[in-house]
Amino acid sequence: MTITVTGATGHLGRLVVDGLQQHGITAVAAVRDTTKATTKSVHADYDRPETLVPAFEGTDKLLLISGNEAGRRVEQHRAVVDAAVKAGVGHIVYTSITSADASTNPLAPEHKATEDLIVASGLPYTFLRNNWYFENYTGGLPAALEHGVILGAAGEGRVAAATREDFAAGAVAVLTGEGHAGKIYEVGGDSTMSLADLAAEVTAQSGTKVAYQDLPADDYAQALIGFGLPEGFARLLAAADVSIAQGSLDVVTGDLSRLIGRPTTTLAEVIARALKQ
Ligand SMILES: NC(=O)c1ccc[n+]([C@@H]2O[C@H](COP(=O)([O-])OP(=O)(O)OC[C@H]3O[C@@H](n4cnc5c(N)ncnc54)[C@H](OP(=O)(O)O)[C@@H]3O)[C@@H](O)[C@H]2O)c1
């Protein structure tokens, strides 16, 4: 069986490729820069549709890892789906977002549009609607410890975060298992946290007092711009936080732990590991 993985040079894709290797499957990495790939690779650039059909030929299962250029992804993903049809791909698995069809998250419309394209393509599909990565938060841990504060605009909103490792294991389970065609999995952690919970866990484990400071969305965006983020991205993150306050990521289904056959990694484990790094 040939499994092809797009985005295989990214953080999630690398973990999926490694996970497949542990199942004895050498994935084909369909990537725009083959020099970065750690497995058998073919050139595939979402922005160069002519590269995609040859890249996907002979593929039984294709994992489309969503691109990372918000605002451009529907066009890019359309090229991938069209090429998958032309290449005769047997099954497409797509990394979407929590409640893609109903979410107030500003990133959701592109995922919903991609899901619609995939359904309309007639290809057998599975959607992995990923909740937030824990790594979205642990990346900011050194700064949080230095300043004693975690900033956000998510209010008391709760997030069913999971590690990229767990999301990757879920993707591997779908790619290597049977009975997943036509399924939509709302994948995320087995429990939820608020940003105040995150701050409390960091405080408890590090011994350094870290508080969550909730800001109006505009102020949070301005703070992110002050830290050097491009304005558009800062506003997107602030709007995503507002959607979290509205409950967009407060979704626990158990789908991920069922797929991976074990509980998802907890907040306490994630913070313990992050503090050791
Ligand atoms: N759930 C969450 O919390 C969360 C957070 C962030 C992102 N995401 C989404 O999940 C995806 C995977 O996450 P990640 O952490 O692995 O992201 P990442 O490290 O940024 O990886 C993105 C991958 O997409 C590839 N890519 C981008 N544009 C492409 C193009 N035009 N043609 C072919 N490949 C292209 C990149 O290739 P290069 O290596 O060549 O750049 C990279 O392999 C992201 O792309 C984004 O859609 C989810």
Side-chain angles (χ1 to χ4, degrees):
M1 181 172 57
T2 299
I3 297 179
T4 302
V5 179
T6 75
T9 48
H11 294 90
L12 182 68
R14 284 176 188 274
L15 293 168
V16 173
V17 166
D18 289 351
L20 288 169
Q21 200 66 59
Q22 283 160 26
H23 277 72
I25 296 170
T26 301
V28 177
V31 295
R32 60 180 165 182
D33 182 355
T34 51
T35 63
K36 283 166 69 179
T38 55
T39 181
K40 188 164 65 181
S41 64
V42 289
H43 184 223
D45 186 334
Y46 303 156
D47 292 324
R48 295 186 53 203
E50 72 280 8
T51 62
L52 299 173
V53 178
F56 299 157
E57 254 151 26
T59 296
D60 299 299
K61 291 191 180 175
L62 173 68
L63 175 63
L64 167 55
I65 293 188
S66 47
N68 54 8
E69 286 181 75
R72 301 208 45 237
R73 293 187 289 186
V74 179
E75 182 196 340
Q76 293 179 327
H77 296 167
R78 177 182 285 115
V80 171
V81 175
D82 287 351
V85 171
K86 284 189 191 136
V89 164
H91 184 151
I92 184 163
V93 180
Y94 174 63
T95 62
S96 184
I97 194 169
T98 302
S99 312
D101 48 349
S103 178
T104 57
N105 191 306
L107 295 164
E110 285 187 310
H111 289 289
K112 165 76 168 80
T114 304
E115 289 188 359
D116 289 347
L117 288 169
I118 291 171
V119 172
S121 77
L123 288 175
Y125 67 84
T126 308
F127 298 148
L128 290 165
R129 289 181 169 172
N130 289 359
N131 205 295
W132 252 207
Y133 302 152
F134 266 125
E135 289 83 355
N136 297 347
Y137 299 110
T138 50
L141 214 51
L145 288 166
E146 188 185 336
H147 300 291
V149 67
I150 291 172
L151 298 179
E156 292 172 12
R158 304 191 72 78
V159 179
T163 60
R164 279 199 191 91
E165 220 172 73
D166 287 351
F167 285 119
V172 168
V174 167
L175 290 166
T176 57
E178 296 298 326
H180 300 297
K183 298 278 173 62
I184 298 176
Y185 296 115
E186 295 282 352
V187 281
D190 292 335
S191 56
T192 61
M193 64 166 189
S194 66
L195 293 189
D197 294 338
L198 172 67
E201 189 63 36
V202 173
T203 300
Q205 289 199 34
S206 68
T208 301
K209 170 87 186 128
V210 174
Y212 173 54
Q213 188 181 347
D214 195 56
L215 298 173
D218 267 353
D219 294 1
Y220 181 44
Q222 286 306 328
L224 294 175
I225 292 165
F227 299 146
L229 267 68
E231 179 172 353
F233 189 48
R235 296 208 177 280
L236 191 66
L237 291 182
D241 257 22
V242 171
S243 84
I244 291 173
Q246 295 163 345
S248 67
L249 294 178
D250 189 355
V251 176
V252 175
T253 60
D255 281 351
L256 184 53
S257 50
R258 273 190 293 278
L259 283 172
I260 65 181
R262 58 171 168 79
T264 59
T265 309
T266 64
L267 172 63
E269 290 166 324
V270 165
I271 298 304
R273 282 188 207 167
L275 288 174
K276 275 194 207 129
Q277 283 171 2

mmCIF file of all heavy atoms in Angstrom, residues 7-13 32-33 36 44-47 65-69 73 76 130-133 136 164, ligand 1:
data_model
loop_
_atom_site.group_PDB
_atom_site.id
_atom_site.type_symbol
_atom_site.label_atom_id
_atom_site.label_comp_id
_atom_site.label_asym_id
_atom_site.label_seq_id
_atom_site.Cartn_x
_atom_site.Cartn_y
_atom_site.Cartn_z
ATOM 1 N N GLY A 7 2.898 18.090 3.223
ATOM 2 C CA GLY A 7 3.332 18.795 4.433
ATOM 3 C C GLY A 7 4.295 17.949 5.261
ATOM 4 O O GLY A 7 4.468 18.161 6.461
ATOM 5 N N ALA A 8 4.944 16.982 4.610
ATOM 6 C CA ALA A 8 5.769 16.015 5.343
ATOM 7 C C ALA A 8 7.072 16.612 5.852
ATOM 8 O O ALA A 8 7.793 15.956 6.613
ATOM 9 C CB ALA A 8 6.051 14.797 4.461
ATOM 10 N N THR A 9 7.384 17.835 5.435
ATOM 11 C CA THR A 9 8.568 18.505 5.988
ATOM 12 C C THR A 9 8.193 19.419 7.154
ATOM 13 O O THR A 9 9.054 20.079 7.734
ATOM 14 C CB THR A 9 9.272 19.343 4.893
ATOM 15 O OG1 THR A 9 8.276 20.132 4.212
ATOM 16 C CG2 THR A 9 9.977 18.462 3.884
ATOM 17 N N GLY A 10 6.899 19.463 7.496
ATOM 18 C CA GLY A 10 6.452 20.300 8.605
ATOM 19 C C GLY A 10 6.489 19.543 9.923
ATOM 20 O O GLY A 10 6.827 18.351 9.970
ATOM 21 N N HIS A 11 6.102 20.247 11.005
ATOM 22 C CA HIS A 11 6.163 19.639 12.337
ATOM 23 C C HIS A 11 5.277 18.408 12.449
ATOM 24 O O HIS A 11 5.680 17.369 12.971
ATOM 25 C CB HIS A 11 5.736 20.658 13.395
ATOM 26 C CG HIS A 11 6.666 21.813 13.527
ATOM 27 N ND1 HIS A 11 6.532 22.977 12.804
ATOM 28 C CD2 HIS A 11 7.752 21.985 14.303
ATOM 29 C CE1 HIS A 11 7.501 23.811 13.129
ATOM 30 N NE2 HIS A 11 8.260 23.240 14.026
ATOM 31 N N LEU A 12 4.028 18.527 11.992
ATOM 32 C CA LEU A 12 3.101 17.400 12.107
ATOM 33 C C LEU A 12 3.460 16.293 11.116
ATOM 34 O O LEU A 12 3.487 15.112 11.464
ATOM 35 C CB LEU A 12 1.667 17.899 11.847
ATOM 36 C CG LEU A 12 0.570 16.848 11.978
ATOM 37 C CD1 LEU A 12 0.430 16.402 13.434
ATOM 38 C CD2 LEU A 12 -0.775 17.395 11.463
ATOM 39 N N GLY A 13 3.751 16.716 9.889
ATOM 40 C CA GLY A 13 4.035 15.733 8.837
ATOM 41 C C GLY A 13 5.220 14.842 9.165
ATOM 42 O O GLY A 13 5.191 13.635 8.901
ATOM 43 N N ARG A 32 7.302 20.453 -1.278
ATOM 44 C CA ARG A 32 7.800 21.421 -2.260
ATOM 45 C C ARG A 32 9.315 21.510 -2.245
ATOM 46 O O ARG A 32 9.919 22.003 -3.184
ATOM 47 C CB ARG A 32 7.171 22.789 -2.050
ATOM 48 C CG ARG A 32 7.424 23.402 -0.701
ATOM 49 C CD ARG A 32 6.762 24.756 -0.608
ATOM 50 N NE ARG A 32 6.702 25.185 0.778
ATOM 51 C CZ ARG A 32 6.155 26.305 1.175
ATOM 52 N NH1 ARG A 32 5.595 27.110 0.297
ATOM 53 N NH2 ARG A 32 6.145 26.622 2.445
ATOM 54 N N ASP A 33 9.937 21.050 -1.148
ATOM 55 C CA ASP A 33 11.404 21.075 -1.086
ATOM 56 C C ASP A 33 11.885 19.675 -0.703
ATOM 57 O O ASP A 33 11.942 19.328 0.480
ATOM 58 C CB ASP A 33 11.850 22.115 -0.055
ATOM 59 C CG ASP A 33 13.369 22.214 0.022
ATOM 60 O OD1 ASP A 33 14.067 21.415 -0.645
ATOM 61 O OD2 ASP A 33 13.858 23.090 0.769
ATOM 62 N N LYS A 36 14.492 18.730 2.030
ATOM 63 C CA LYS A 36 14.174 18.747 3.466
ATOM 64 C C LYS A 36 13.524 17.454 3.938
ATOM 65 O O LYS A 36 13.309 17.259 5.141
ATOM 66 C CB LYS A 36 13.198 19.907 3.758
ATOM 67 C CG LYS A 36 13.866 21.278 3.801
ATOM 68 C CD LYS A 36 12.851 22.417 3.747
ATOM 69 C CE LYS A 36 12.012 22.544 4.987
ATOM 70 N NZ LYS A 36 11.065 23.687 4.887
ATOM 71 N N ALA A 44 6.027 18.237 -4.878
ATOM 72 C CA ALA A 44 4.604 18.576 -4.924
ATOM 73 C C ALA A 44 4.425 19.940 -4.269
ATOM 74 O O ALA A 44 4.638 20.087 -3.070
ATOM 75 C CB ALA A 44 3.785 17.525 -4.177
ATOM 76 N N ASP A 45 4.051 20.917 -5.096
ATOM 77 C CA ASP A 45 3.860 22.280 -4.570
ATOM 78 C C ASP A 45 2.407 22.656 -4.799
ATOM 79 O O ASP A 45 1.933 22.636 -5.939
ATOM 80 C CB ASP A 45 4.813 23.232 -5.330
ATOM 81 C CG ASP A 45 4.803 24.639 -4.755
ATOM 82 O OD1 ASP A 45 3.786 25.029 -4.143
ATOM 83 O OD2 ASP A 45 5.809 25.346 -4.936
ATOM 84 N N TYR A 46 1.702 23.002 -3.720
ATOM 85 C CA TYR A 46 0.282 23.367 -3.847
ATOM 86 C C TYR A 46 0.096 24.506 -4.850
ATOM 87 O O TYR A 46 -0.964 24.640 -5.445
ATOM 88 C CB TYR A 46 -0.292 23.830 -2.500
ATOM 89 C CG TYR A 46 -0.177 22.858 -1.342
ATOM 90 C CD1 TYR A 46 -0.186 23.327 -0.023
ATOM 91 C CD2 TYR A 46 -0.083 21.477 -1.536
ATOM 92 C CE1 TYR A 46 -0.104 22.463 1.059
ATOM 93 C CE2 TYR A 46 0.009 20.617 -0.457
ATOM 94 C CZ TYR A 46 0.006 21.114 0.835
ATOM 95 O OH TYR A 46 0.092 20.258 1.900
ATOM 96 N N ASP A 47 1.114 25.335 -4.996
ATOM 97 C CA ASP A 47 1.008 26.488 -5.898
ATOM 98 C C ASP A 47 1.406 26.142 -7.328
ATOM 99 O O ASP A 47 1.387 27.019 -8.192
ATOM 100 C CB ASP A 47 1.915 27.639 -5.395
ATOM 101 C CG ASP A 47 1.396 28.218 -4.097
ATOM 102 O OD1 ASP A 47 0.161 28.302 -3.937
ATOM 103 O OD2 ASP A 47 2.225 28.567 -3.234
ATOM 104 N N ILE A 65 -2.164 17.395 4.539
ATOM 105 C CA ILE A 65 -1.967 18.252 5.720
ATOM 106 C C ILE A 65 -2.195 19.681 5.239
ATOM 107 O O ILE A 65 -1.542 20.142 4.293
ATOM 108 C CB ILE A 65 -0.557 18.066 6.318
ATOM 109 C CG1 ILE A 65 -0.449 16.646 6.901
ATOM 110 C CG2 ILE A 65 -0.273 19.127 7.384
ATOM 111 C CD1 ILE A 65 0.820 16.371 7.695
ATOM 112 N N SER A 66 -3.147 20.352 5.878
ATOM 113 C CA SER A 66 -3.540 21.688 5.435
ATOM 114 C C SER A 66 -2.317 22.599 5.347
ATOM 115 O O SER A 66 -1.395 22.499 6.162
ATOM 116 C CB SER A 66 -4.572 22.275 6.402
ATOM 117 O OG SER A 66 -4.156 22.098 7.739
ATOM 118 N N GLY A 67 -2.321 23.482 4.351
ATOM 119 C CA GLY A 67 -1.211 24.407 4.172
ATOM 120 C C GLY A 67 -1.167 25.440 5.291
ATOM 121 O O GLY A 67 -2.092 25.539 6.108
ATOM 122 N N ASN A 68 -0.087 26.202 5.321
ATOM 123 C CA ASN A 68 0.070 27.153 6.437
ATOM 124 C C ASN A 68 -0.028 28.615 6.002
ATOM 125 O O ASN A 68 0.384 29.507 6.734
ATOM 126 C CB ASN A 68 1.383 26.887 7.195
ATOM 127 C CG ASN A 68 2.585 26.892 6.269
ATOM 128 O OD1 ASN A 68 2.464 27.239 5.096
ATOM 129 N ND2 ASN A 68 3.744 26.509 6.784
ATOM 130 N N GLU A 69 -0.598 28.833 4.815
ATOM 131 C CA GLU A 69 -0.786 30.220 4.376
ATOM 132 C C GLU A 69 -2.274 30.549 4.418
ATOM 133 O O GLU A 69 -2.995 30.363 3.427
ATOM 134 C CB GLU A 69 -0.253 30.400 2.966
ATOM 135 C CG GLU A 69 1.256 30.426 2.876
ATOM 136 C CD GLU A 69 1.707 30.625 1.434
ATOM 137 O OE1 GLU A 69 1.605 31.742 0.914
ATOM 138 O OE2 GLU A 69 2.135 29.637 0.822
ATOM 139 N N ARG A 73 -5.498 29.040 1.200
ATOM 140 C CA ARG A 73 -5.544 27.586 1.284
ATOM 141 C C ARG A 73 -6.639 26.933 0.451
ATOM 142 O O ARG A 73 -6.481 25.801 0.021
ATOM 143 C CB ARG A 73 -5.637 27.152 2.744
ATOM 144 C CG ARG A 73 -4.350 27.502 3.473
ATOM 145 C CD ARG A 73 -4.315 26.960 4.858
ATOM 146 N NE ARG A 73 -5.232 27.656 5.737
ATOM 147 C CZ ARG A 73 -5.288 27.433 7.039
ATOM 148 N NH1 ARG A 73 -4.512 26.517 7.578
ATOM 149 N NH2 ARG A 73 -6.120 28.108 7.796
ATOM 150 N N GLN A 76 -5.184 26.432 -2.917
ATOM 151 C CA GLN A 76 -4.118 25.416 -2.849
ATOM 152 C C GLN A 76 -4.703 24.026 -2.670
ATOM 153 O O GLN A 76 -4.301 23.065 -3.330
ATOM 154 C CB GLN A 76 -3.166 25.743 -1.691
ATOM 155 C CG GLN A 76 -2.368 27.017 -1.909
ATOM 156 C CD GLN A 76 -1.446 27.320 -0.735
ATOM 157 O OE1 GLN A 76 -1.767 27.011 0.416
ATOM 158 N NE2 GLN A 76 -0.304 27.915 -1.019
ATOM 159 N N ASN A 130 -8.792 18.683 13.704
ATOM 160 C CA ASN A 130 -7.836 18.883 14.806
ATOM 161 C C ASN A 130 -8.217 20.069 15.685
ATOM 162 O O ASN A 130 -8.447 21.167 15.177
ATOM 163 C CB ASN A 130 -6.435 19.139 14.248
ATOM 164 C CG ASN A 130 -5.807 17.903 13.621
ATOM 165 O OD1 ASN A 130 -6.401 16.836 13.605
ATOM 166 N ND2 ASN A 130 -4.609 18.055 13.097
ATOM 167 N N ASN A 131 -8.196 19.845 16.992
ATOM 168 C CA ASN A 131 -8.278 20.930 17.971
ATOM 169 C C ASN A 131 -6.913 21.627 18.007
ATOM 170 O O ASN A 131 -6.038 21.323 17.188
ATOM 171 C CB ASN A 131 -8.682 20.355 19.334
ATOM 172 C CG ASN A 131 -9.376 21.368 20.234
ATOM 173 O OD1 ASN A 131 -8.777 22.355 20.648
ATOM 174 N ND2 ASN A 131 -10.639 21.134 20.540
ATOM 175 N N TRP A 132 -6.684 22.520 18.934
ATOM 176 C CA TRP A 132 -5.393 23.245 19.013
ATOM 177 C C TRP A 132 -4.256 22.319 19.454
ATOM 178 O O TRP A 132 -4.457 21.406 20.243
ATOM 179 C CB TRP A 132 -5.508 24.359 20.036
ATOM 180 C CG TRP A 132 -5.559 25.777 19.555
ATOM 181 C CD1 TRP A 132 -5.146 26.863 20.280
ATOM 182 C CD2 TRP A 132 -6.051 26.308 18.319
ATOM 183 N NE1 TRP A 132 -5.355 28.016 19.546
ATOM 184 C CE2 TRP A 132 -5.897 27.697 18.342
ATOM 185 C CE3 TRP A 132 -6.599 25.732 17.158
ATOM 186 C CZ2 TRP A 132 -6.271 28.527 17.277
ATOM 187 C CZ3 TRP A 132 -6.974 26.547 16.105
ATOM 188 C CH2 TRP A 132 -6.803 27.911 16.173
ATOM 189 N N TYR A 133 -3.088 22.593 18.918
ATOM 190 C CA TYR A 133 -1.883 21.917 19.412
ATOM 191 C C TYR A 133 -1.519 22.506 20.781
ATOM 192 O O TYR A 133 -1.521 23.740 20.948
ATOM 193 C CB TYR A 133 -0.678 22.201 18.509
ATOM 194 C CG TYR A 133 -0.780 21.815 17.058
ATOM 195 C CD1 TYR A 133 -0.054 22.518 16.100
ATOM 196 C CD2 TYR A 133 -1.544 20.743 16.627
ATOM 197 C CE1 TYR A 133 -0.096 22.171 14.758
ATOM 198 C CE2 TYR A 133 -1.590 20.389 15.278
ATOM 199 C CZ TYR A 133 -0.870 21.107 14.353
ATOM 200 O OH TYR A 133 -0.899 20.773 13.033
ATOM 201 N N ASN A 136 1.107 25.222 20.555
ATOM 202 C CA ASN A 136 0.791 26.647 20.351
ATOM 203 C C ASN A 136 1.070 27.422 21.635
ATOM 204 O O ASN A 136 1.349 28.615 21.598
ATOM 205 C CB ASN A 136 -0.690 26.842 19.989
ATOM 206 C CG ASN A 136 -1.061 26.187 18.679
ATOM 207 O OD1 ASN A 136 -0.200 25.791 17.915
ATOM 208 N ND2 ASN A 136 -2.358 26.061 18.426
ATOM 209 N N ARG A 164 1.054 17.522 19.133
ATOM 210 C CA ARG A 164 1.194 17.137 17.725
ATOM 211 C C ARG A 164 1.459 15.631 17.611
ATOM 212 O O ARG A 164 1.012 14.983 16.684
ATOM 213 C CB ARG A 164 2.356 17.894 17.076
ATOM 214 C CG ARG A 164 2.037 19.310 16.645
ATOM 215 C CD ARG A 164 3.076 19.750 15.621
ATOM 216 N NE ARG A 164 3.021 21.175 15.313
ATOM 217 C CZ ARG A 164 3.703 22.110 15.946
ATOM 218 N NH1 ARG A 164 4.490 21.796 16.948
ATOM 219 N NH2 ARG A 164 3.620 23.371 15.566
HETATM 220 N N1 LIG B 1 -4.262 22.723 15.228
HETATM 221 C C1 LIG B 1 -3.404 23.698 15.439
HETATM 222 O O1 LIG B 1 -3.217 24.190 16.568
HETATM 223 C C2 LIG B 1 -2.605 24.223 14.306
HETATM 224 C C3 LIG B 1 -1.601 25.177 14.544
HETATM 225 C C4 LIG B 1 -0.843 25.623 13.466
HETATM 226 C C5 LIG B 1 -1.108 25.131 12.202
HETATM 227 N N2 LIG B 1 -2.079 24.211 11.994
HETATM 228 C C6 LIG B 1 -2.386 23.646 10.653
HETATM 229 O O2 LIG B 1 -1.846 22.338 10.626
HETATM 230 C C7 LIG B 1 -0.882 22.228 9.563
HETATM 231 C C8 LIG B 1 0.274 21.342 10.004
HETATM 232 O O3 LIG B 1 0.851 21.900 11.183
HETATM 233 P P1 LIG B 1 2.426 21.990 11.327
HETATM 234 O O4 LIG B 1 2.678 22.409 12.705
HETATM 235 O O5 LIG B 1 3.071 20.763 10.789
HETATM 236 O O6 LIG B 1 2.739 23.217 10.318
HETATM 237 P P2 LIG B 1 4.141 23.539 9.631
HETATM 238 O O7 LIG B 1 5.258 23.028 10.438
HETATM 239 O O8 LIG B 1 4.068 24.994 9.297
HETATM 240 O O9 LIG B 1 4.100 22.685 8.277
HETATM 241 C C9 LIG B 1 3.375 23.083 7.172
HETATM 242 C C10 LIG B 1 3.764 22.187 6.002
HETATM 243 O O10 LIG B 1 3.024 22.611 4.839
HETATM 244 C C11 LIG B 1 3.955 22.691 3.770
HETATM 245 N N3 LIG B 1 3.517 23.654 2.755
HETATM 246 C C12 LIG B 1 3.206 24.943 2.943
HETATM 247 N N4 LIG B 1 2.902 25.524 1.758
HETATM 248 C C13 LIG B 1 3.067 24.560 0.801
HETATM 249 C C14 LIG B 1 2.940 24.531 -0.599
HETATM 250 N N5 LIG B 1 2.626 25.635 -1.296
HETATM 251 N N6 LIG B 1 3.151 23.369 -1.256
HETATM 252 C C15 LIG B 1 3.503 22.256 -0.580
HETATM 253 N N7 LIG B 1 3.660 22.215 0.755
HETATM 254 C C16 LIG B 1 3.446 23.354 1.446
HETATM 255 C C17 LIG B 1 5.246 23.154 4.422
HETATM 256 O O11 LIG B 1 6.335 22.929 3.547
HETATM 257 P P3 LIG B 1 7.801 23.606 3.812
HETATM 258 O O12 LIG B 1 8.483 22.702 4.816
HETATM 259 O O13 LIG B 1 8.426 23.571 2.466
HETATM 260 O O14 LIG B 1 7.566 24.989 4.342
HETATM 261 C C18 LIG B 1 5.255 22.259 5.653
HETATM 262 O O15 LIG B 1 5.688 20.964 5.312
HETATM 263 C C19 LIG B 1 -0.484 23.675 9.259
HETATM 264 O O16 LIG B 1 -0.017 23.804 7.924
HETATM 265 C C20 LIG B 1 -1.805 24.408 9.497
HETATM 266 O O17 LIG B 1 -2.694 24.253 8.397
HETATM 267 C C21 LIG B 1 -2.818 23.740 13.027
#
